[in-house]
Amino acid sequence: MSIAVLGAGAFGTALAISLAHKGPVSLWARDVQGMDVIRENASRLPGCHFPDALFVTDIFEDAAKAEILLVSVPMQKLRGFLTDHAVLLAGKTIVACCKGIELKTGLGPVAVIRETLPDAVPAILTGPSFAADIARGLPTALTLACADAAMGERLQKALTTQNLRLYRTVDTIGAELGGALKNVVAIACGAAMGAGLGESARAALMTRGFAEMQRLAAHLNADPDTLSGLSGFGDLTLTCTSTQSRNYRLGLAFGEGRSFDSATTVEGAATARAVHGLAQKHGLDLPITAAVAGLIENRLDVQSAMKSLLTRPLKEE
């Protein structure tokens, strides 16, 4: 099955590099920026050479001819991207490679694909991964979620590479939520560490944050086992403990009281606000999410956010 990656950010480029070690892959970028000549994405993944089978193009029509299209654009831009290219994407197999919840609608990537491209076959690729690791050929395991079980098997075989191992599930809701909510918890963990609250505080936030992830997932009829896998617990562990995570770094900036580059895409910022809105709508108690939303919206500082969590009524675990 022919493959194209639409979007040449760090993650999209890394996937294209890994897949091109297996066979021909097209990488579409709005601006090629000489990548086809120097054979690397110098601005996003410097030093990661493109295999000979990776073809870079800025002609969308050419890339969209592939049978499998991996869409690697920020979550909050996904709907606009799909709408702008709806004619060429209709009926295609679309694999979302972004993590988050749409701020305006409260929907995840697969649901957005279903709304904008009713004839497409949607899937999502998510899990604990850093683009640089994938591009350098380091072993990485991800979740591939597709409600069509037969298509999920075909995608698993087509997208698994020497360093990229995929586990499949039909639970797209659980996979979406795991990838989105772990970013919110990572911001909270970064804030705690930046404020000097210590490793024990981070462990508590990760554990109680995971409980919030499970609570929302259960309410939205996801499979609890999905959240215990790569797309939930696995991604949570990675994102909450590494400065390679932009969400964690944003939290660190909050905790240290310094500014953060506003040009950097941090999916957890919009997701925290979106999930907080979902929690209010459904009457769910998600205190860590509420605290992070307060930080993002400048309604709380780190100390008041932590106080709000520590002074909550005592309860059973």
Side-chain angles (χ1 to χ4, degrees):
M1 300 176 77
S2 55
I3 301 170
V5 179
L6 307 179
F11 193 63
T13 301
L15 289 174
I17 290 173
S18 181
L19 288 162
H21 284 296
K22 184 177 180 179
V25 175
S26 295
L27 175 64
W28 174 81
R30 292 186 186 278
D31 185 355
V32 172
Q33 295 182 329
M35 287 188 287
D36 54 336
V37 176
I38 64 173
R39 303 301 294 166
E40 71 174 54
N41 187 338
S43 63
R44 299 298 182 91
L45 286 173
C48 296
H49 185 73
F50 289 177
D52 291 340
L54 198 165
F55 302 93
V56 184
T57 182
D58 59 0
I59 302 174
F60 191 87
E61 291 81 357
D62 288 349
K65 292 176 183 177
E67 296 167 278
I68 302 172
L69 301 176
L70 279 65
V71 178
S72 184
V73 300
M75 179 62 215
Q76 304 307 320
K77 296 182 179 179
L78 179 62
R79 183 181 295 272
F81 178 86
L82 298 177
T83 301
D84 290 345
H85 300 289
V87 173
L88 291 171
L89 298 179
K92 292 284 188 174
T93 298
I94 308 290
V95 183
C97 300
C98 54
K99 302 171 183 179
I101 301 295
E102 192 174 46
L103 187 55
K104 292 182 179 179
T105 65
L107 298 177
V110 173
V112 170
I113 295 172
R114 288 192 179 118
E115 272 202 357
T116 54
L117 301 171
D119 295 331
V121 179
I124 183 170
L125 187 62
T126 184
S129 56
F130 290 133
D133 291 347
I134 295 174
R136 292 201 301 267
L138 300 179
T140 303
L142 299 176
T143 295
L144 174 72
C146 182
D148 183 329
M151 177 55 75
E153 286 193 41
R154 291 197 290 273
L155 288 172
Q156 182 184 36
K157 292 176 182 177
L159 302 179
T160 292
T161 70
Q162 187 173 8
N163 72 301
L164 197 59
R165 180 175 175 82
L166 306 188
Y167 290 83
R168 70 179 184 274
T169 178
V170 295
D171 181 19
T172 57
I173 296 175
E176 285 180 322
L177 290 174
L181 298 176
K182 58 87 185 180
N183 284 335
V184 179
V185 182
I187 294 173
C189 289
M193 295 302 290
L197 300 181
E199 300 279 0
S200 297
R202 173 164 60 182
L205 285 168
M206 288 176 65
T207 306
R208 298 312 304 163
F210 186 61
E212 289 191 17
M213 292 167 61
Q214 292 178 309
R215 198 174 305 142
L216 180 60
H219 185 80
L220 297 179
N221 298 316
D223 184 344
D225 288 343
T226 304
L227 273 293
S228 297
L230 290 164
S231 62
F233 179 75
D235 214 354
L236 178 74
T237 302
L238 182 70
T239 311
C240 292
T241 57
S242 174
T243 54
Q244 288 191 66
S245 164
R246 289 169 291 182
N247 295 279
Y248 183 73
R249 293 203 306 272
L250 174 63
L252 280 175
F254 276 125
E256 294 170 354
R258 56 180 174 80
S259 60
F260 189 82
D261 183 5
S262 60
T264 301
T265 300
V266 182
E267 297 283 21
T271 295
R273 298 170 60 202
V275 174
H276 182 51
L278 278 176
Q280 292 179 312
K281 177 181 177 181
H282 293 282
L284 294 174
D285 185 27
L286 305 180
I288 294 174
T289 300
V292 172
L295 289 175
I296 299 298
E297 296 172 349
N298 296 313
R299 293 184 284 102
L300 294 173
D301 58 25
V302 173
Q303 295 303 324
S304 57
M306 289 300 171
K307 183 178 180 180
S308 71
L309 295 174
L310 291 172
T311 58
R312 284 170 49 80
L314 299 176
K315 55 184 286 187
E316 291 186 0
E317 187 171 25

